Amino acid sequence: MSENYKFDTLSLHAGHIPDKETGSRAVPIYQTTSYVFNSTEEAASLYNMEVGGHLYTRISNPTVAALEQRLAALEGGASALACSSGMAAMHLVVSAICSSGDHIVASSKMYGANINLLQHTMPRFGVNTDFVNPNDPEAIKSAIKPNTKLVFGEVIGNPGLDIMDVPEIAKICNSKNIPLVLDATFNTPYLMQPFKHGANIIVHSLTKWLGGHGIAIGGAIVNGGNFDWGDKDKFPTISGPHFALGGISFWEEFGPSALIAKIRAEGMYNFGPSLSPTNAFHLMQGIETLPLRMKKHIENTHTILDFLVNHEMVEWVKHPDLDTHPDHEVAKRILPKGSGSIVAFGIKGGREAGKAFIESVKLASHLANVGDAKTLLIHPGSTTHSHLSSEAMKEGGLTDDMIRLSVGLEDINDITKDFERGFKAVKKLNK
Amino acid sequence: MIINFKGAETYLGTGGKSLDINKRTLCFLHGSGQNHLSFIQQARFFAYKGYSVIVPDMPAHGFSDGNPCKSIKENAEWINDLLVKLNLKDVVIIGHSQGCLVALELNRILKNSLKALIFVAGSNEIPVNQFLLDLSKENPQKASQMMVTWGHGIDGDMSINKWPGHSHYGEGNNIMCMNKPTALKYDLHSCNDYSNGIDAAKNIKVPALAVLAKNDQMTPLKSGLKFVELIKNCETHILDCGHFLPSERPMELNSIINSFLSKLK
């Protein structure tokens, strides 16, 4: 009897049922590089992609596959592929779809590494990107050229927290037959499932909320299966004959899963950014509690927003769930459960005040990560961007006084108490 | 490959190999609302084993244009004409679900070229409830989603897949979305209206194989077992899965078919 299990159940179970031999309730860690073939015929079948199975862990692994299938189920996608990091996922998608001479339209307000890849690295391989305001659908439409092969953005931008109007952008991409690729790390499938809004491909940094405990780096691509790759002139390496496997057409042979089949056969095979089985296990442990954690992340975020908005030492607070945020209405529409647990705020007193605050808090951890169960903080002006002048920071959408906060799961009173300690230090400095 | 057939672009999956009319040809027939992608893990497998393989997208399904066939008989005649056009003279028909009904009718039409029949998750009748018939007309996408959910066993619910990273539900829904919106309605009506199954099954003279699914909610095992009783000397296997046997148990199915084929003259 089909059960059509719900999100919370799939978070715990999808991708694994206990095997008959051992009955192991947890997903076993298949810490192996390779798999014994029962016959030369079976080996050939796997190499020729005649049937599914595992032949070498760089390409696939049973523990990693359980994670992939869990992600596909949670996102409502046709297929998924896990890899060594979110940036590896991003590069795998770009290199699978684009070739030299192709063009990308991307959001101008994204994570620095995503911008670096598209602005500096890919042009060396003949793939150029125009960056446009993600909140301006007309600008995105105008930037699309005949050789544009994908539109890329972040559902919730990092670090600016801009919200992309996914349904609007998806309509534009759909009308131009271009896939919409979204980094959905900050929202996770718990807060929003981009395929339901018309997106075609999702990339995740699993390191963040999905893994949720700051113990394993990983990334994933989830393929919606809802994009028609059949235009052989536009997507020749997906729908036309590919050099691999005697001229295979991934679109004809794999249909909705063409992109993932291609990435596995080409990207994983040739570049090799595989995820270790142990890290896949750790990440799955995180996903098991994703719904519980996300509820608490959002609850704590809303409490801390109240605290910060009303604090005398705080100059400004930015979060899409605040009605002062320019994308608040879009956020309400596409992220009704909440717009994530990253908060940006400015401390009265500028760069020195930010530094003093960061150095005075004890419970919140000062580090360069987000999405941990623990509360994390960073002051870009005195760390990641300390080499930049105030003016240069402004050009990048950052300010001297800005603190990026990743709200954790602690008792929120302990966090506000900790922050008061930081504000006290700032007050002392300002005197 | 794409051919022009009966005035419409028609897609034939060949498992990644060229069609060789001098070899034995395995012709796979997809089920209601499906297309050649139902047989992802059979087409390449048997093409690489040295058989010629064709997996036609029926009219209005998958990559094929044209208008959907409106009865099982019309489906069978379309396939027969296709086999004639391709000059295929040594054919094994492998049907899944609705494809089994088409195979039964083909048994009545095809003369010397038919060498064997293979029924996967099949029966001599596939009655469809009125709710699904109505829904396939009013909201084919919703009807497809329901069929994908009903059609899979526990592997669908739990996102267990022999192909690493693939989801039965996600993939299944999108495969059905590739068809023209009216295709499902005509498929389901064709199944529901078909009534020649008992006679057709009794008249099978070629070797026959049936692979049934223990947890099949579309063509229940009970119905499948009655069906195989009608066929003289039908080799029968039951696998522990749902209706979408070709993707749920690909290795076991391929192995059973391969063994059956090796015994044919």
Side-chain angles (χ1 to χ4, degrees):
Chain A
M1 189 68 191
S2 291
E3 302 290 347
N4 226 354
Y5 291 121
K6 303 294 184 292
F7 190 93
D8 292 15
T9 308
L10 292 171
S11 300
L12 287 157
H13 291 276
H16 174 68
I17 43 178
D19 66 90
K20 284 177 184 151
E21 280 176 31
T22 66
S24 172
R25 181 54 277 188
V27 178
I29 302 174
Y30 288 93
Q31 192 66 43
T32 182
T33 58
S34 36
Y35 310 87
V36 175
F37 304 124
N38 291 317
S39 64
T40 51
E41 208 171 56
E42 185 193 343
S45 295
L46 291 167
Y47 274 100
N48 294 330
M49 295 181 87
E50 298 166 30
V51 288
H54 305 287
L55 54 89
Y56 193 59
T57 286
R58 192 173 85 243
I59 318 297
S60 70
N61 168 281
T63 312
V64 178
L67 167 65
E68 292 167 340
Q69 283 152 212
R70 187 165 298 180
L71 289 167
L74 292 175
E75 290 286 14
S79 41
L81 181 144
C83 54
S84 54
S85 69
M87 285 313 300
M90 169 75 178
H91 179 251
L92 283 167
V93 169
V94 170
S95 59
I97 298 174
C98 300
S99 300
S100 179
D102 288 343
H103 174 253
I104 293 170
V105 175
S107 161
S108 57
K109 297 176 179 179
M110 299 195 296
Y111 174 48
N114 279 339
I115 294 209
N116 277 343
L117 175 71
L118 299 178
Q119 191 169 34
H120 302 297
T121 306
M122 293 315 295
R124 285 173 32 221
F125 299 91
V127 177
N128 292 300
T129 298
D130 278 323
F131 294 93
V132 294
N133 183 345
N135 314 102
D136 186 350
E138 279 308 310
I140 290 174
K141 197 174 183 179
S142 307
I144 292 172
K145 301 175 183 178
N147 62 336
T148 302
K149 297 301 167 69
L150 63 92
V151 171
F152 182 78
E154 295 170 347
V155 177
I156 303 172
N158 176 17
L161 307 178
D162 303 85
I163 305 293
M164 202 169 192
D165 193 340
V166 178
E168 279 302 306
I169 311 299
K171 267 186 227 159
I172 293 168
C173 293
N174 191 37
S175 71
K176 304 267 185 186
N177 192 31
I178 295 167
L180 174 58
V181 184
L182 292 177
D183 185 328
T185 300
F186 276 38
N187 48 291
T188 80
Y190 177 79
L191 294 179
M192 187 258 210
Q193 293 164 307
F195 299 142
K196 288 185 178 165
H197 297 271
N200 305 109
I201 299 153
I202 295 167
V203 294
H204 278 295
S205 168
L206 303 175
T207 315
K208 312 302 188 307
W209 290 265
L210 277 157
H213 296 80
I215 56 169
I217 301 279
I221 303 155
V222 189
N223 174 26
N226 54 353
F227 187 75
D228 183 345
W229 300 98
D231 185 338
K232 284 187 180 159
D233 295 327
K234 203 168 194 172
F235 304 108
T237 65
I238 299 176
S239 58
H242 191 268
F243 71 83
L245 300 160
I248 190 171
S249 161
F250 291 103
W251 175 233
E252 287 185 24
E253 304 271 346
F254 297 101
S257 291
L259 181 71
I260 292 294
K262 190 200 171 189
I263 290 174
R264 213 176 281 284
E266 184 185 73
M268 300 306 279
Y269 201 86
N270 297 355
F271 312 147
S274 51
L275 179 65
S276 86
T278 302
N279 274 357
F281 174 82
H282 288 312
L283 293 165
M284 257 184 294
Q285 288 301 295
I287 292 172
E288 291 195 359
T289 56
L290 179 71
L292 294 171
R293 286 186 292 106
M294 290 310 289
K295 271 178 214 158
K296 179 76 172 169
H297 275 301
I298 294 295
E299 192 185 303
N300 275 359
T301 299
H302 287 167
T303 308
I304 206 120
L305 283 174
D306 282 344
F307 168 78
L308 291 172
V309 163
N310 295 307
H311 202 285
E312 54 168 345
M313 294 304 294
V314 176
E315 190 79 52
W316 56 270
V317 185
K318 194 172 183 186
H319 188 275
D321 288 346
L322 293 175
D323 58 14
T324 50
H325 192 282
D327 300 332
H328 179 61
E329 289 304 316
V330 182
K332 272 204 302 190
R333 179 159 42 87
I334 70 170
L335 291 151
K337 288 182 185 170
S339 306
S341 55
I342 296 295
V343 177
F345 65 96
I347 296 182
K348 284 179 183 168
R351 194 177 287 217
E352 286 308 310
K355 192 178 166 196
F357 178 84
I358 287 279
E359 286 176 352
S360 305
V361 293
K362 287 182 180 165
L363 190 59
S365 307
H366 178 205
L367 51 76
N369 190 25
V370 291
D372 197 321
K374 302 170 187 77
T375 293
L376 316 174
L377 284 169
I378 198 156
H379 175 230
S382 61
T383 54
T384 52
H385 295 68
S386 59
H387 57 291
L388 296 181
S389 66
S390 299
E391 289 70 33
M393 279 184 68
K394 265 182 196 159
E395 278 173 29
L398 302 169
T399 53
D400 274 347
D401 59 349
M402 175 186 158
I403 302 279
R404 184 183 71 182
L405 161 66
S406 175
V407 182
L409 307 178
E410 298 91 344
D411 185 308
I412 201 63
N413 294 316
D414 290 334
I415 291 296
T416 52
K417 207 189 288 176
D418 194 37
F419 280 19
E420 286 293 7
R421 190 171 14 241
F423 287 131
K424 203 170 163 187
V426 174
K427 256 188 201 169
K428 220 176 192 178
L429 185 82
N430 288 348
K431 274 178 190 169
Chain B
M1 65 180 183
I2 297 272
I3 61 166
N4 194 294
F5 179 56
K6 293 180 181 276
E9 280 203 344
T10 300
Y11 178 79
L12 309 175
T14 58
K17 296 276 187 184
S18 303
L19 185 64
D20 181 349
I21 61 167
N22 297 311
K23 287 181 180 174
R24 170 156 291 168
T25 301
L26 308 185
C27 174
F28 289 86
L29 304 179
H30 62 74
S32 301
Q34 300 293 307
N35 58 48
H36 72 281
L37 294 163
S38 307
F39 297 108
I40 289 177
Q41 298 189 70
Q42 284 71 45
R44 287 180 75 79
F45 181 87
F46 286 103
Y48 276 77
K49 297 285 167 287
Y51 293 100
S52 256
V53 168
I54 60 164
V55 196
D57 278 347
M58 298 302 289
H61 293 70
F63 300 144
S64 287
D65 285 336
N67 297 315
C69 297
K70 294 178 178 60
S71 67
I72 295 299
K73 191 168 173 241
E74 199 183 321
N75 274 284
E77 284 164 355
W78 189 90
I79 290 288
N80 179 55
D81 294 346
L82 178 70
L83 298 178
V84 170
K85 181 184 164 86
L86 297 172
N87 199 23
L88 299 173
K89 297 192 179 77
D90 184 339
V91 181
V92 174
I93 299 286
I94 303 162
H96 172 239
S97 189
Q98 178 187 321
C100 294
L101 302 183
V102 179
L104 282 171
E105 278 303 291
L106 273 170
N107 178 58
R108 295 151 68 101
I109 307 170
L110 287 172
K111 301 295 176 205
N112 296 328
S113 58
L114 183 64
K115 302 302 174 194
L117 286 164
I118 299 175
F119 303 98
V120 180
S123 180
N124 53 292
E125 58 174 9
I126 306 182
V128 181
N129 69 62
Q130 193 59 46
F131 173 75
L132 187 58
L133 287 173
D134 293 342
L135 196 63
S136 68
K137 188 179 166 189
E138 291 151 16
N139 188 347
Q141 200 176 343
K142 179 76 184 160
S144 299
Q145 283 171 359
M146 292 179 85
M147 287 173 67
V148 168
T149 309
W150 291 337
H152 285 94
I154 190 170
D155 287 5
D157 283 333
M158 289 299 188
S159 197
I160 306 296
N161 203 306
K162 303 294 177 197
W163 205 296
H166 289 218
S167 156
H168 289 293
Y169 286 177
E171 210 162 48
N173 286 327
N174 282 294
I175 286 173
M176 294 185 80
C177 281
M178 292 167 74
N179 303 332
K180 308 277 182 296
T182 54
L184 182 62
K185 174 183 76 173
Y186 286 113
D187 283 348
L188 294 180
H189 277 277
S190 298
C191 287
N192 195 49
D193 296 344
Y194 183 66
S195 58
N196 289 344
I198 293 176
D199 287 347
K202 284 179 179 169
N203 281 325
I204 291 172
K205 303 282 193 295
V206 294
L209 166 70
V211 189
L212 306 172
K214 192 174 157 189
N215 305 311
D216 194 333
Q217 294 188 85
M218 311 289 274
T219 52
L221 179 61
K222 202 171 154 188
S223 170
L225 289 171
K226 275 187 190 166
F227 166 57
V228 297
E229 286 296 311
L230 300 168
I231 306 169
K232 197 177 171 187
N233 299 325
C234 182
E235 181 182 327
T236 304
H237 299 259
I238 300 167
L239 297 182
D240 187 4
C241 61
H243 182 67
F244 288 103
L245 215 149
S247 57
E248 289 183 71
R249 293 290 177 270
M251 299 290 210
E252 294 92 326
L253 177 64
N254 292 358
S255 171
I256 291 166
I257 294 175
N258 208 24
S259 167
F260 174 78
L261 292 173
S262 69
K263 291 179 271 186
L264 293 179
K265 284 180 191 161

